[in-house]
Amino acid sequence: MHLAMGSLITSLHGWYQLSLLMNTVVFLLLSTHCTATEISYTDHCASFVPESPTTAPEFASLPFRPFQYGYYAGGDRILNPNPSEYYSPNNNILLFQTQNVYRTDAEGIFNVHGILNFDGLNMNYYGHGMTYGHSVFSPLRNGETGALDFSLKGFWSISTGKLCMVGSTTSYSREGNLLHHPAVLKLNGIKNSSSITSLVTGTLQSLSSADDPSYFEPVSLLIFPPTNYQYTNVLKEIEKGSSGAIVVSADSLSLQVSTPICSILTRSVNEFRVEYARDCNSSENCSPFDDDIGYLPRVMSLNMIQCSPDGQSSRFLLEFPNSSYVGYYRYFNPNTTFLAEGSWDWKKNQLYAVACRILNTDGSLDKSHVDDCSIRLTLRFPAIWSIRETTSTLGQIWSNKAPNDSGYFETIVLRSTDTGYNDMLRVPGLKYEYTAMEKVRNMSCLKKKPPRNSVRNYPDGFSQEMRFDMSVKTAGGEIAWGYSDPISVGDQISQLSGSSSSWSSSRPAISGVQANASSKPLNISYKISLSTNYDAKLDGVQNLFNISSSEDRGVKIFAEGIYDSETGGLCMVGCRYVGRKYQKLINDSMDCEIKIRLQFPSLNSKKNGVFIRGTIASSRNKSDPLYFEPLFVSATAYYTILERQSIWRMDLEIIMVLVSNTLACVFVVFQLLYVKKHPGVLPFTSILMLVILTVGHMILLVLNFEALFFQDNYRRTVLLGSGGWIKVHEVIVRVVTMVAFLLQFRLLQFSLSARMRENNQKALWMSEKKALYVSLPLYVAGAFITLLANWRKYKFGMATQSFRFNNHQHSLWGDLRSYAGLILDSFLFPQILLNIFHNSREYSLSRYFYIGLTIVRLVPHAYDLYRAQNYFQNFDGSYIYADPAADFYSTAWDVTIPLVSLLFAAIIYLQQRFGGRCFLPLRFRELEVYEKIPTTGEE
């Protein structure tokens, strides 16, 4: 999930800017008769900021940066037109886009053009010298969901810090009528410099009357200005040495000058678990807020607003939502938010911050102000991890007031969740300390050493194969899914999780092909994360998921143990946090009585040997409240060496496709030459057989082009590793398939024309109809059976499992394609029926044609038997030759289809030599005899 997040956000931001531009153009086209220039600025803004004639463009003095983000409240009539108890806005983020700024005749007065947008997802990203809290907005939605763009023009006064603008936007009513919303925007506090107490507040008010359909309630706005921010409060505190609790620097990681604090803290979400000093039954002296908020916060999120040019100081929001999961969706509430500025303390290796309350008395954001800067915060990065302490960031927040003062609260400990913890793995100096190895050795679950001459090889402990996704089930069925990330191997910290694939020490990660590089058992630690659906039956494991503090019914297990690369066995002891209603600072808040046993498959594995199997079980007594039933683990092992074999196999299959299609063309050419030499046999060729062959090649041709334009991302990724010449061969395959289709179509055209020219071929047409009457019900019955099997398989799959990893589920279209391949395998069946009904002994088919095409159809099944024994079958969608989506492939089908096809070829041979009914009993052989009348030119 963390893979390439930075590039994803950058691309989304670019996409949003393009989307915003397109929506702006559409907006301007729709509202040409109600633009801001038609709204009198003097009537609504002259007393706020006086109007002045424009002179020249301005680039040095801007009210905001080109993209400035803030928050809003109100305006539900147009921003949340369809409120319900099941839906609430994901966020209340606004965007002000500065388009143009001009000087005026008046000193310090500027003419400003801009767009005010209400919509967005707050996904922070980092850039040197840029404002934090930048949002990458979601795609603009329709008018019913409240996405609106106000096009505004007005004037800004530097001396007073006021900005007044008028403009309008459009939306659609519930009846579908286009509405124009004229409005006036008034902002205060836009200065050339800012500090922790600086806020930009204001309102957006409708200029329509209250009874007008286009009227909306006033919208209050709050923006944290980034211009020339002064980090005065925190720097003074650090100079005084008021850093709160004493932290030994040896226990914390020290940052390098090239690694600013902003580069570490700037993630999509910085989420912290809140732990109180005592068991708080009320929020008195526990919560940082009054009892008015109605809950005791369990999590805190740190959201960046701005960073200093050197990256060592930052400004951010500390938010305490009424949820245990922050995620990407934030709804700003000033009553549960602190505004803070922090700087890195190089002496104590910690981030020290001063935080202030945002006071908001009447719920309107434009009345907000900053006060009470008595809150302090420290964050540090532990240098040593263990099974009980794998927190990437530790901190505390407290009030420096006296206990009897208003607003005082006791020290709260902050522990980061594992969201983005891989960022800390890049900080040098981090170590892992194994503390539960004695318990692991007492498990006695490691297998005996294999013989020295054993050909089985297992992945190396340092390889990327140690990271895997998995599904988990109980005796009652599958209940959860998740992933396992190695934290450390030996004395090295792993960075295999997320987007990184290197090690913190000098030894690089190696591939599984070097499996025997380290034969000594290795100490290893893991983070195992499991999640389950709300409708999953958790009989016997309720406490494992429900006791967790996470509302998404998930559990995270931190484990350490021993991995033996000679046997592929992994034995570990795990710990999990035992969630409580209110987190409390106690050392015994973890359940460390968990045993984990996993078995990795050999690198020599074939068809059924590429799955990691194992169990997660509790070692407690069944009467213990923390006991849970054993969980059975199943995971797919993606081995590098097997991936390389798969790429080699695909290259081989491309060659086989080229050879088989070329041979099909050659055999059809033989038939064309044969009928040219013997034109009299053309009427005796089954039209239905030729139609099947022609349509079969046409379907292959269509599917090839479909694969060219709609190829899935995974297959694209795999095929790119096959040497770069894959695309050339795909084009060649399509060309050869096109030639085969045209040749088959030409043969069909010859046969049909010859049949139509014969005026005395009524018997042949009757025999053709009889063959069709027999074949068509059989084909329809087979299709019906296929549909029934697909329906039962789908119903069974839905009833027995909620999630399955790497399991190729055949769709209805896929099953019908496979059935079409079966019909193509038996292409001689209509010719056999025609020969029977007409009792023909004409040599209508060349031996090269029907025997050659039969072999072409048989080779894929023989190859599938070979592939099943020599290649692992784990990469669904990577098959190019003998594709299971294009025919029925299994051991039974791979034996049955060739035998039946060879039988059909033998019957054709006998029919053309001894008559169409030669293999029938004597009484059925001469029921009807039709004498062929020679045509003109025949002897």
Side-chain angles (χ1 to χ4, degrees):
M1 182 178 64
H2 308 301
L3 185 63
M5 179 62 73
S7 61
L8 173 62
I9 292 176
T10 302
S11 62
L12 284 175
H13 186 262
W15 180 93
Y16 169 70
Q17 294 187 44
L18 178 60
S19 176
L20 182 62
L21 178 61
M22 295 175 64
N23 280 272
T24 302
V25 173
V26 174
F27 164 76
L28 292 176
L29 292 175
L30 291 175
S31 58
T32 54
H33 65 286
C34 189
T35 61
T37 57
E38 298 177 357
I39 302 173
S40 175
Y41 178 87
T42 303
D43 293 343
H44 305 288
C45 290
S47 61
F48 200 73
V49 180
E51 185 177 5
S52 181
T54 299
T55 59
E58 171 64 20
F59 302 99
S61 298
L62 301 177
F64 299 116
R65 302 197 176 192
F67 292 92
Q68 177 62 50
Y69 297 86
Y71 302 92
Y72 69 89
D76 289 344
R77 186 167 179 175
I78 57 173
L79 299 178
N80 185 24
N82 299 309
S84 68
E85 59 180 331
Y86 303 105
Y87 168 79
S88 61
N90 290 329
N91 57 66
N92 55 343
I93 299 173
L94 64 87
L95 165 66
F96 187 90
Q97 180 187 3
T98 303
Q99 293 182 308
N100 296 293
V101 179
Y102 302 93
R103 296 191 190 97
T104 65
D105 289 339
E107 184 67 25
I109 302 295
F110 296 91
N111 181 229
V112 181
H113 298 184
I115 294 177
L116 182 62
N117 172 270
F118 296 95
D119 191 28
L121 293 177
N122 187 32
M123 297 174 64
N124 303 322
Y125 63 93
Y126 173 72
H128 291 290
M130 300 184 67
T131 297
Y132 285 79
H134 282 192
S135 303
V136 179
F137 277 32
S138 61
L140 297 179
R141 304 186 295 256
N142 57 37
E144 292 190 356
T145 55
L148 290 178
D149 294 321
F150 282 87
S151 181
L152 303 168
K153 296 181 180 180
F155 293 88
W156 165 50
S157 172
I158 291 182
S159 59
T160 63
K162 295 181 178 181
L163 172 66
C164 191
M165 307 177 75
V166 293
S168 65
T169 189
T170 59
S171 69
Y172 287 92
S173 65
R174 294 183 179 180
E175 294 77 17
N177 300 322
L178 181 66
L179 301 177
H180 296 272
H181 304 280
V184 56
L185 172 68
K186 295 181 179 180
L187 297 178
N188 294 280
I190 307 176
K191 301 284 188 176
N192 278 334
S193 62
S194 58
S195 64
I196 195 171
T197 59
S198 300
L199 295 177
V200 175
T201 59
T203 58
L204 178 71
Q205 294 180 327
S206 175
L207 296 179
S208 302
S209 59
D211 57 349
D212 194 300
S214 62
Y215 173 81
F216 60 90
E217 303 85 351
V219 182
S220 59
L221 312 176
L222 174 62
I223 299 173
F224 302 102
T227 309
N228 298 325
Y229 188 84
Q230 305 297 322
Y231 296 90
T232 56
N233 300 67
V234 66
L235 295 178
K236 290 179 180 178
E237 288 287 327
I238 293 178
E239 289 177 0
K240 292 190 302 184
S242 303
S243 300
I246 299 176
V247 178
V248 181
S249 59
D251 294 337
S252 302
L253 293 173
S254 60
L255 299 184
Q256 297 176 340
V257 177
S258 60
T259 309
I261 183 64
C262 292
S263 66
I264 297 177
L265 290 181
T266 304
R267 299 192 289 255
S268 57
V269 174
N270 287 287
E271 183 180 339
F272 295 85
R273 187 173 64 253
V274 174
E275 294 183 349
Y276 299 96
R278 55 189 175 89
D279 196 0
C280 299
N281 296 321
S282 69
S283 60
E284 181 181 358
N285 291 339
C286 283
S287 172
F289 310 100
D290 299 330
D291 293 336
D292 297 338
I293 66 172
Y295 62 91
L296 191 63
R298 291 183 288 171
V299 296
M300 184 200 79
S301 65
L302 186 154
N303 296 282
M304 303 289 290
I305 298 176
Q306 186 177 5
C307 194
S308 63
D310 61 1
Q312 304 305 333
S313 299
S314 60
R315 189 161 60 127
F316 44 83
L317 297 177
L318 302 176
E319 302 183 64
F320 295 82
N322 186 17
S323 172
S324 64
Y325 176 71
V326 178
Y328 295 122
Y329 305 104
R330 296 195 298 115
Y331 194 88
F332 176 76
N333 182 4
N335 296 321
T336 58
T337 302
F338 294 149
L339 178 61
E341 65 177 35
S343 186
W344 184 255
D345 188 344
W346 293 96
K347 294 181 180 179
K348 296 184 178 180
N349 293 326
Q350 64 181 10
L351 175 71
Y352 183 74
V354 174
C356 307
R357 299 180 187 274
I358 303 176
L359 302 183
N360 180 266
T361 55
D362 59 356
S364 179
L365 294 181
D366 63 308
K367 304 298 182 183
S368 301
H369 64 281
V370 176
D371 199 359
D372 187 12
C373 296
S374 62
I375 299 126
R376 301 293 181 265
L377 170 78
T378 59
L379 294 176
R380 68 184 184 92
F381 311 116
I384 300 177
W385 287 4
S386 66
I387 191 174
R388 288 180 172 270
E389 190 60 81
T390 55
T391 303
S392 63
T393 309
L394 277 175
Q396 53 186 339
I397 184 171
W398 73 96
S399 173
N400 63 2
K401 290 184 176 182
N404 296 329
D405 292 343
S406 175
Y408 169 82
F409 60 92
E410 297 177 357
T411 300
I412 297 174
V413 172
L414 306 173
R415 297 178 183 273
S416 66
T417 62
D418 62 343
T419 302
Y421 85 101
N422 190 56
D423 294 341
M424 283 312 304
L425 299 179
R426 300 185 180 94
V427 180
L430 181 62
K431 297 180 179 179
Y432 187 91
E433 185 178 285
Y434 296 92
T435 59
M437 300 308 295
E438 188 63 30
K439 186 182 293 188
V440 174
R441 295 185 182 94
N442 294 333
M443 290 174 59
S444 302
C445 63
L446 294 177
K447 293 184 177 181
K448 296 181 179 180
K449 301 295 182 182
R452 290 187 177 182
N453 57 354
S454 176
V455 295
R456 288 184 173 269
N457 296 323
Y458 295 91
D460 186 88
F462 293 92
S463 64
Q464 298 185 26
E465 285 78 7
M466 301 305 293
R467 181 182 184 270
F468 54 90
D469 298 333
M470 61 184 180
S471 61
V472 176
K473 65 179 181 180
T474 61
E478 196 164 359
I479 62 167
W481 55 273
Y483 59 90
S484 296
D485 281 336
I487 299 176
S488 66
V489 179
D491 59 349
Q492 304 178 36
I493 294 296
S494 167
Q495 293 191 10
L496 292 178
S497 61
S499 61
S500 177
S501 60
S502 61
W503 295 87
S504 58
S505 67
S506 59
R507 180 176 181 179
I510 60 177
S511 71
V513 73
Q514 296 171 297
N516 291 329
S518 176
S519 59
K520 182 180 179 181
L522 290 169
N523 295 341
I524 193 169
S525 62
Y526 266 90
K527 181 199 70 175
I528 301 174
S529 179
L530 299 176
S531 298
T532 181
N533 297 329
Y534 283 94
D535 57 351
K537 296 181 180 180
L538 302 178
D539 297 337
V541 293
Q542 299 94 334
N543 54 7
L544 177 65
F545 293 96
N546 293 342
I547 289 180
S548 173
S549 62
S550 177
E551 289 183 352
D552 61 348
R553 290 164 61 100
V555 62
K556 295 177 178 61
I557 301 174
F558 297 93
E560 66 180 43
I562 299 175
Y563 172 70
D564 190 345
S565 60
E566 291 188 357
T567 63
L570 175 61
C571 283
M572 296 188 293
V573 170
C575 292
R576 64 183 175 106
Y577 280 101
V578 179
R580 300 180 184 275
K581 186 177 181 180
Y582 302 113
Q583 285 84 359
K584 187 174 64 173
L585 282 176
I586 55 176
N587 294 328
D588 197 22
S589 61
M590 300 190 74
D591 174 20
C592 292
E593 299 299 324
I594 301 175
K595 294 183 178 181
I596 302 171
R597 296 178 173 88
L598 297 174
Q599 177 62 46
F600 285 79
S602 169
L603 295 174
N604 310 92
S605 300
K606 302 302 178 185
K607 180 178 180 180
N608 297 319
V610 292
F611 295 100
I612 302 171
R613 309 286 187 182
T615 58
I616 300 175
S618 175
S619 58
R620 297 177 180 270
N621 295 326
K622 291 187 176 181
S623 58
D624 195 296
L626 298 180
Y627 172 82
F628 59 89
E629 292 184 358
L631 300 174
F632 300 96
V633 178
S634 177
T636 302
Y638 290 99
Y639 288 166
T640 303
I641 187 173
L642 299 182
E643 293 178 8
R644 293 174 181 172
Q645 292 179 359
S646 179
I647 293 173
W648 185 90
R649 172 185 56 77
M650 287 189 289
D651 292 339
L652 173 64
E653 291 182 1
I654 291 174
I655 298 175
M656 297 181 70
V657 169
L658 288 173
V659 172
S660 63
N661 287 352
T662 303
L663 288 177
C665 294
V666 172
F667 296 139
V668 176
V669 169
F670 274 119
Q671 180 67 15
L672 289 171
L673 295 176
Y674 177 76
V675 297
K676 185 177 182 180
K677 184 178 180 180
H678 305 282
V681 302
L682 275 172
F684 299 92
T685 305
S686 172
I687 302 298
L688 180 59
M689 177 192 69
L690 297 179
V691 168
I692 290 175
L693 289 173
T694 304
V695 173
H697 282 85
M698 182 183 68
I699 292 175
L700 289 177
L701 191 62
V702 172
L703 293 178
N704 281 338
F705 279 105
E706 176 191 8
L708 178 64
F709 293 106
F710 302 101
Q711 212 170 41
D712 62 286
N713 292 332
Y714 169 75
R715 183 169 179 177
R716 287 179 185 269
T717 303
V718 173
L719 293 181
L720 286 177
S722 62
W725 51 276
I726 181 72
K727 289 296 182 182
V728 176
H729 284 72
E730 285 186 339
V731 172
I732 296 175
V733 168
R734 287 165 178 80
V735 171
V736 175
T737 306
M738 173 68 78
V739 173
F741 166 72
L742 294 176
L743 291 174
Q744 289 284 2
F745 185 79
R746 186 62 174 166
L747 181 60
L748 173 63
Q749 184 183 18
F750 281 162
S751 298
L752 193 59
S753 299
R755 184 79 64 82
M756 297 295 292
R757 284 198 307 266
E758 297 287 347
N759 297 324
N760 58 345
Q761 297 299 333
K762 182 177 179 181
L764 275 173
W765 281 113
M766 291 296 298
S767 301
E768 188 79 49
K769 290 181 180 180
K770 291 179 181 179
L772 179 63
Y773 293 155
V774 173
S775 302
L776 191 59
L778 293 177
Y779 293 154
V780 172
F784 178 77
I785 295 173
T786 301
L787 292 175
L788 181 62
N790 178 277
W791 176 78
R792 293 188 61 183
K793 178 169 54 180
Y794 173 79
K795 182 179 179 180
F796 176 78
M798 292 295 292
T800 57
Q801 59 187 2
S802 60
F803 191 90
R804 183 180 294 272
F805 285 93
N806 303 297
N807 182 35
H808 182 61
Q809 297 291 336
H810 286 287
S811 63
L812 175 61
W813 170 241
D815 284 344
L816 290 178
R817 283 176 57 189
S818 298
Y819 178 66
L822 180 63
I823 295 177
L824 200 57
D825 289 332
S826 56
F827 72 96
L828 290 176
F829 182 62
Q831 183 67 49
I832 294 174
L833 293 179
L834 177 66
N835 290 342
I836 291 176
F837 289 122
H838 195 264
N839 196 18
S840 171
R841 65 173 62 199
E842 295 286 342
Y843 285 87
S844 57
L845 300 181
S846 168
R847 295 179 184 177
Y848 294 106
F849 174 75
Y850 70 85
I851 295 178
L853 287 186
T854 299
I855 293 176
V856 168
R857 299 299 305 176
L858 296 187
V859 172
H861 294 279
Y863 170 74
D864 184 63
L865 290 174
Y866 168 80
R867 181 173 58 190
Q869 300 299 322
N870 293 275
Y871 296 100
F872 76 107
Q873 300 185 22
N874 199 37
F875 291 92
D876 292 330
S878 68
Y879 298 112
I880 299 175
Y881 186 70
D883 186 0
D887 206 338
F888 288 125
Y889 289 99
S890 66
T891 302
W893 283 113
D894 290 340
V895 173
T896 303
I897 292 177
L899 290 179
V900 173
S901 299
L902 291 175
L903 176 62
F904 284 172
I907 291 175
I908 291 292
Y909 174 80
L910 294 175
Q911 285 181 328
Q912 294 189 159
R913 182 162 185 161
F914 302 107
R917 300 173 186 165
C918 62
F919 55 90
L920 297 179
L922 290 176
R923 60 176 179 169
F924 297 111
R925 292 185 183 180
E926 299 296 338
L927 292 180
E928 298 179 25
V929 177
Y930 293 95
E931 181 181 358
K932 176 190 171 186
I933 302 176
T935 59
T936 304
E938 286 188 297
E939 294 181 358

